[in-house]
Amino acid sequence: MADHTLVFIVLGLTLAAFVWGRFRYDLVALTALLGSVMLGLVPGEEAFLGFGHPAVITVAAVLVLSRGFERSGVVDVIAEQVLKVGDRLFLQLVALSGTVVVLSGFMNNVGALALLLPVAMRLAREHDTSPSLLLMPLAFGSLLGGLTTLIGTPPNIIISSYRGSITGDNFGMFSFFPVGAAVALAGLLFIVLVGWRLAPQRAGKASTEDMFDTAHYLVEVRVEEESKAVGWTLRELQQELEETIPVLAVVRDDKRRAGHAFLSVLKEGDILLVEAGPEEMKLLEDKAGLRLGIDPKDAEAVDEEAEDESQEGEEDDVSKEQPRTSKQPASSVEPHSKESNKPEKERTKKKEKRGIDTEGLELVEAVVRNDSMMVNRTVTQLRLHNQYGLHLVAVARDGSRLRQRLRDIRFRAGDVLLLQGGESNLTESLATLGCLPLASRNLTLGQPRLLAVSVLIFAAAILAMMFDLLPAAVALASAALLALLVGVLPLREGYQALDGPVIVLLAAMIPVGQALETSGGAALIAENLLVLGVDWPIVVTLVVLFLLAMLLSNVINNAAAAVLMAPIAASLAGGFEASPDPFLMVVAVSASCAFLTPIGHQSNTLVMGPGGYRFGDYWKFGLPLSLVVLVVAIPMILLVWPP
């Protein structure tokens, strides 16, 4: 079998695995690489040269520098200004989308989105704006901003390195700017004037309470004298139940202790604040002998009060939604036998006290990233509590809370989790798991010295690249090293900033992409395109190339799309006996235009859960935006990079 046929088979299986999504894309890419070696398509001694490829080193350095910007407070200074725009939706869109476009040009676009996502959620909450109107424009803006510079997005870095391999001269830091800036500006105008109207408006998803309806599922159960749970630890309780029922807090002697930090044994009179529905309540009663936190003798009095309030037209969602046992409201905290005889104001105070109080429980929302270790695994397999000190309270997908048992949920990229954990290790645990916190954070402006140092280091690297003093990989790697040495970023956080799956994906796919070229596969594809377009002008071929790369980037990682399409673009240029620059630039732009699906780019996936989006929501907004990019990009490429 011919080598190019084997390459097509390997790539076909690889693309199918990417689209299927059952396995992480870095594992798929590594499998493709090792399979190519075993088939003789990639020499064994060259199999892992991709890990030292300049494109891979450049991407790694940019990730470290991006984290340095975050820690030094550079981005928070900008975010603080964004939060001042007020309640006008137009200004919110301009501030968020415009800021992420600018940031994405000088740091990794996924990193820029991750930094502004909590800001967008906070804006939505403070001004009662549906986050679905803000988050998709924010994600698309991050993709557009990455087009403007060499380091904005991995496809630009890959295309620059590939150009260097065939012409001996890489694209420079701002070689992408004339085309990228025009496309980004046109895209930004479309987003803030027209595009946001195409995003779905999903109301009531802006807060933890609305997303998860948490208060309606929190109940208090009491440890009675005859309860089996007397003398058990919380871990033993979970083992006995054989079910993941989060215990958010334990109340003893009027003092509340967070569940994740409660290491004592349960005693008579303890009250457990648990996340439970009717099935879980039955388990707690049958297997542990736990009862709802109210004395039975007071049930009648409370029922009478609830009836009176209903007649007065006062809506009490908690009492309606929570599970009941023997007609007892699940939200009760303490006995209220004499409450109905008390004055109205005192009754109101008591009523407020009976509501479940979640203050101080350190609940945080987090979204599961594409590269998270949680993807396709359950809470039991991850051992969230034992390994990371986290309680899983609830899971939301596509903007709605999942009602199935927590232990049965296999996490997906884009899921929004409601977690409880200790403040000291919460951030580190989320970073290790590959989750992005969404809760509104307090903006920290960092230290002025570190802020200035990080900017100066980055500026020095840019100048070295602009004046050809150092190759891009060397200049940026030196800047990343210097940032670590001077303390802008601790070494541990520097390693955490490295996006392992992306690094492995690039390092594995680069030799496979080279095999596509050396086997003659890229030339064969280009020849067929040339035969079909023999009478076409070059502009039509560029449009076809643009559409092919864009469609590919919407189903696989954009870096992989650039790796695969670059040899085809170069072969097409050779067939036309034209400069490869416009063809390569078309691939660079189109590979970053993954606006049609939530799986084409991490930015799209990250906003899917918080925005309450569904798979089909993306193309309604993304298709016209893609056409805008196409209409602007092709003429600009021909103007700046004539064939």
Side-chain angles (χ1 to χ4, degrees):
M1 190 177 293
D3 283 352
H4 63 262
T5 303
L6 291 174
V7 168
F8 290 149
I9 292 174
V10 170
L11 289 179
L13 293 174
T14 302
L15 292 178
F18 279 141
V19 174
W20 184 27
R22 177 65 179 83
F23 302 101
R24 277 189 3 185
Y25 51 76
D26 52 332
L27 298 180
V28 173
L30 196 57
T31 301
L33 171 61
L34 297 177
S36 298
V37 172
M38 295 176 186
L39 292 172
L41 302 173
V42 175
E45 61 274 12
E46 299 178 7
F48 300 107
L49 293 182
F51 286 91
H53 195 278
V56 177
I57 301 301
T58 303
V59 169
V62 170
L63 291 172
V64 173
L65 289 171
S66 297
R67 182 65 65 86
F69 284 154
E70 176 185 1
R71 198 174 192 280
S72 65
V74 172
V75 179
D76 284 337
V77 170
I78 301 171
E80 186 185 36
Q81 302 305 313
V82 171
L83 289 171
K84 297 178 180 179
V85 297
D87 58 0
R88 290 186 59 187
L89 180 60
F90 175 77
L91 293 180
Q92 293 175 6
L93 287 166
V94 171
L96 286 170
S97 302
T99 301
V100 82
V101 165
V102 174
L103 288 178
S104 296
F106 297 96
M107 61 188 297
N108 178 266
N109 49 12
V110 178
L113 174 79
L115 291 169
L116 286 177
L117 190 50
V119 178
M121 294 297 291
R122 182 171 168 184
L123 267 178
R125 293 171 182 179
E126 289 183 356
H127 301 292
D128 198 24
T129 303
S130 172
S132 64
L133 297 179
L134 298 178
L135 297 187
M136 192 176 290
L138 184 68
F140 290 170
S142 72
L143 271 63
L144 292 170
L147 299 172
T148 56
T149 66
L150 170 67
I151 63 174
T153 185
N156 288 3
I157 298 171
I158 292 166
I159 293 300
S160 174
S161 295
Y162 186 81
R163 185 193 190 230
S165 68
I166 61 175
T167 67
D169 188 19
N170 292 17
F171 282 126
M173 175 68 181
F174 294 103
S175 298
F176 298 88
F177 187 79
V179 175
V183 171
L185 180 59
L188 180 60
L189 289 174
F190 175 81
I191 286 172
V192 300
L193 296 177
V194 180
W196 68 270
R197 304 175 191 274
L198 304 175
Q201 183 168 357
R202 305 263 156 75
K205 307 298 184 187
S207 68
T208 304
E209 291 80 7
D210 291 332
M211 171 81 80
F212 294 107
D213 210 13
T214 306
H216 296 173
Y217 289 84
L218 289 179
V219 296
E220 291 182 348
V221 293
R222 183 184 299 273
V223 181
E224 305 286 357
E225 182 180 0
E226 67 277 7
S227 297
K228 302 176 185 177
V230 174
W232 291 358
T233 64
L234 293 184
R235 183 176 182 181
E236 290 171 337
L237 174 63
Q238 299 285 3
Q239 291 174 344
E240 182 67 25
L241 296 175
E242 298 180 352
E243 174 63 278
T244 304
I245 300 179
V247 179
L248 301 188
V250 177
V251 180
R252 177 181 294 172
D253 299 329
D254 295 328
K255 293 182 180 179
R256 186 170 62 181
R257 300 165 178 82
H260 68 275
F262 184 81
L263 303 178
S264 181
V265 297
L266 296 175
K267 299 180 180 179
E268 177 189 352
D270 287 349
I271 296 176
L272 278 59
L273 179 61
V274 300
E275 163 78 5
E279 292 184 5
E280 289 80 6
M281 285 300 305
K282 190 174 186 307
L283 274 177
L284 288 167
E285 184 170 354
D286 292 346
K287 292 194 173 184
L290 302 178
R291 303 287 189 272
L292 286 173
I294 184 172
D295 286 345
K297 62 183 180 181
D298 299 316
E300 184 178 351
V302 177
D303 277 345
E304 289 176 359
E305 181 184 341
E307 184 177 352
D308 291 340
E309 291 172 351
S310 175
Q311 292 174 352
E312 293 170 4
E314 296 180 7
E315 183 175 354
D316 188 349
D317 290 335
V318 175
S319 64
K320 286 189 294 183
E321 297 288 343
Q322 287 183 344
R324 297 172 181 242
T325 301
S326 302
K327 300 182 180 181
Q328 297 172 9
S331 58
S332 300
V333 172
E334 55 186 359
H336 304 282
S337 57
K338 300 179 181 179
E339 193 170 4
S340 58
N341 297 324
K342 294 186 178 181
E344 181 64 27
K345 289 184 179 180
E346 193 169 347
R347 287 175 57 196
T348 301
K349 290 181 181 179
K350 287 288 186 180
K351 176 176 175 290
E352 291 174 353
K353 285 183 181 181
R354 288 201 310 273
I356 297 298
D357 177 19
T358 60
E359 183 180 357
L361 291 184
E362 297 169 1
L363 295 170
V364 63
E365 291 171 272
V367 61
V368 179
R369 295 175 54 124
N370 300 56
D371 55 353
S372 171
M373 68 168 65
M374 302 181 72
V375 174
N376 290 325
R377 301 175 73 182
T378 66
V379 63
T380 305
Q381 292 172 330
L382 290 165
R383 302 181 66 197
L384 277 186
H385 184 236
N386 294 337
Q387 194 77 18
Y388 302 99
L390 297 176
H391 277 307
L392 177 66
V393 179
V395 180
R397 184 173 294 162
D398 299 337
S400 300
R401 177 188 173 125
L402 297 182
R403 306 300 182 187
Q404 66 194 94
R405 290 187 173 185
L406 293 178
R407 69 176 183 182
D408 297 332
I409 295 175
R410 286 193 175 273
F411 301 111
R412 298 180 188 172
D415 283 352
V416 180
L417 314 179
L418 185 62
L419 298 162
Q420 183 197 36
E423 187 176 356
S424 58
N425 64 350
L426 191 60
T427 301
E428 183 176 344
S429 296
L430 290 178
T432 303
L433 290 167
C435 293
L436 173 68
L438 292 179
S440 56
R441 60 180 182 175
N442 295 321
L443 296 176
T444 55
L445 301 183
Q447 302 177 30
R449 183 186 67 82
L450 292 181
L451 190 152
V453 168
S454 63
V455 172
L456 288 174
I457 291 173
F458 183 69
I462 298 299
L463 291 174
M465 295 162 58
M466 288 178 60
F467 292 101
D468 293 328
L469 300 178
L470 293 171
V474 176
L476 293 169
S478 300
L481 176 61
L482 189 57
L484 294 171
L485 290 175
V486 300
V488 170
L489 189 68
L491 184 60
R492 183 176 183 180
E493 288 193 32
Y495 279 110
Q496 289 178 346
L498 296 177
D499 194 342
V502 171
I503 300 298
V504 173
L505 170 73
L506 286 176
M509 289 304 295
I510 285 173
V512 177
Q514 291 172 345
L516 178 64
E517 184 176 12
T518 57
S519 67
L524 184 61
I525 295 174
E527 287 172 8
N528 288 323
L529 290 175
L530 289 170
V531 169
L532 293 174
V534 65
D535 298 323
W536 298 345
I538 287 182
V539 64
V540 176
T541 304
L542 291 177
V543 170
V544 173
L545 181 65
F546 186 101
L547 293 174
L548 286 175
M550 182 185 70
L551 291 174
L552 190 61
S553 71
N554 274 282
V555 295
I556 68 172
N557 182 276
N558 61 350
V563 168
L564 296 178
M565 292 301 298
I568 297 173
S571 297
L572 275 174
F576 278 106
E577 297 182 354
S579 168
D581 290 344
F583 294 85
L584 292 176
M585 195 60 67
V586 162
V587 172
V589 174
S590 57
S592 293
C593 291
F595 304 123
L596 302 180
T597 69
I599 62 174
H601 197 277
Q602 284 196 53
S603 293
N604 295 352
T605 308
L606 284 174
V607 301
M608 189 176 184
Y613 302 125
R614 302 183 182 94
F615 197 97
D617 291 333
Y618 286 81
W619 72 268
K620 298 174 185 177
F621 187 161
L623 182 58
L625 179 57
S626 299
L627 295 177
V628 169
V629 172
L630 173 63
V631 169
V632 175
I634 297 298
M636 284 299 301
I637 289 172
L638 291 173
L639 177 65
V640 179
W641 304 97

